[in-house]
Amino acid sequence: MSFKTPDLLDKHEARIQDGRVRVVTPMFQSYGGRTAFSGQIVTLKLFEDNSLVREALVEDGRGKVLVIDGGGSLRCALVGDQLAILAHRNTWEGIVVYGCIRDSDDISRIDLGLRALNTHPLKSIKKGIGERDVAVTFGGVTFRNGEWIYADNDGVVVSDQALD
């Protein structure tokens, strides 16, 4: 699927007005080798513990984007090159991290969409604490499991259904 977020918003203007299409506040940097990506949302809510990230990324990610609410923490990384490689191998379309990543130079060479707030060299703890498939809110938008996300160089858009 080829898309441009400005065109999607122009085409679905009425759905913006009724809140079915939402635009995430500009805050993310692009780190993956794929600049544009889209798919059905799978959510994680965690804080400075990326155990659930690995658990999710071992699954088949075809047509899916992992949205990680890391509480906006800038104190450690939730995704590194090994998790990005795992996501690519399992055909995830992309990852959006409300937090940090590491190994950004290596990740930039992986065919995976990846947005995050920033980079941090410190890895996270691993205690298995967090929640999956729950609604998460950041950037002025609530992300729900099964909804759709579209990300490109112009921004991130969330919709209650697939957009064409």
Side-chain angles (χ1 to χ4, degrees):
M1 170 192 252
S2 178
F3 68 91
K4 294 195 294 184
T5 55
D7 293 345
L8 290 176
L9 294 175
D10 291 350
K11 186 174 181 180
H12 297 280
E13 201 167 341
R15 297 183 74 230
I16 296 167
Q17 300 304 318
D18 65 17
R20 293 184 296 157
V21 172
R22 289 110 47 210
V23 180
V24 179
T25 300
M27 65 174 73
F28 292 108
Q29 305 299 313
S30 179
Y31 294 102
R34 190 182 304 172
T35 58
F37 60 96
S38 65
Q40 255 189 315
I41 295 171
V42 174
T43 62
L44 293 177
K45 184 175 180 69
L46 45 90
F47 189 73
E48 298 180 359
D49 180 340
N50 75 348
S51 305
L52 295 181
V53 176
R54 178 173 293 282
E55 288 178 20
L57 293 177
V58 299
E59 299 171 9
D60 181 7
R62 190 175 324 276
K64 297 178 186 173
V65 174
L66 186 62
V67 175
I68 304 167
D69 180 354
S73 174
L74 301 177
R75 301 189 311 186
C76 67
L78 296 173
V79 174
D81 61 342
Q82 296 306 306
L83 289 178
I85 290 167
L86 181 62
H88 173 70
R89 282 188 187 144
N90 290 317
T91 64
W92 286 83
E93 301 298 326
I95 305 170
V96 175
V97 184
Y98 184 49
C100 292
I101 65 149
R102 66 188 208 159
D103 305 311
S104 60
D105 289 337
D106 294 325
I107 288 173
S108 72
R109 293 187 290 275
I110 298 170
D111 183 25
L112 175 73
L114 201 153
R115 298 289 189 279
L117 296 178
N118 215 318
T119 61
H120 198 293
L122 181 66
K123 66 181 176 181
S124 77
I125 60 171
K126 290 166 182 48
K127 293 186 177 179
I129 299 170
E131 298 175 274
R132 181 173 171 164
D133 301 333
V134 297
V136 297
T137 302
F138 54 85
V141 169
T142 297
F143 302 78
R144 292 176 187 86
N145 214 55
E147 289 189 326
W148 293 81
I149 189 167
Y150 299 83
D152 66 8
N153 287 332
D154 288 314
V156 179
V157 173
V158 176
S159 174
D160 64 341
Q161 65 186 43
L163 301 176
D164 55 5

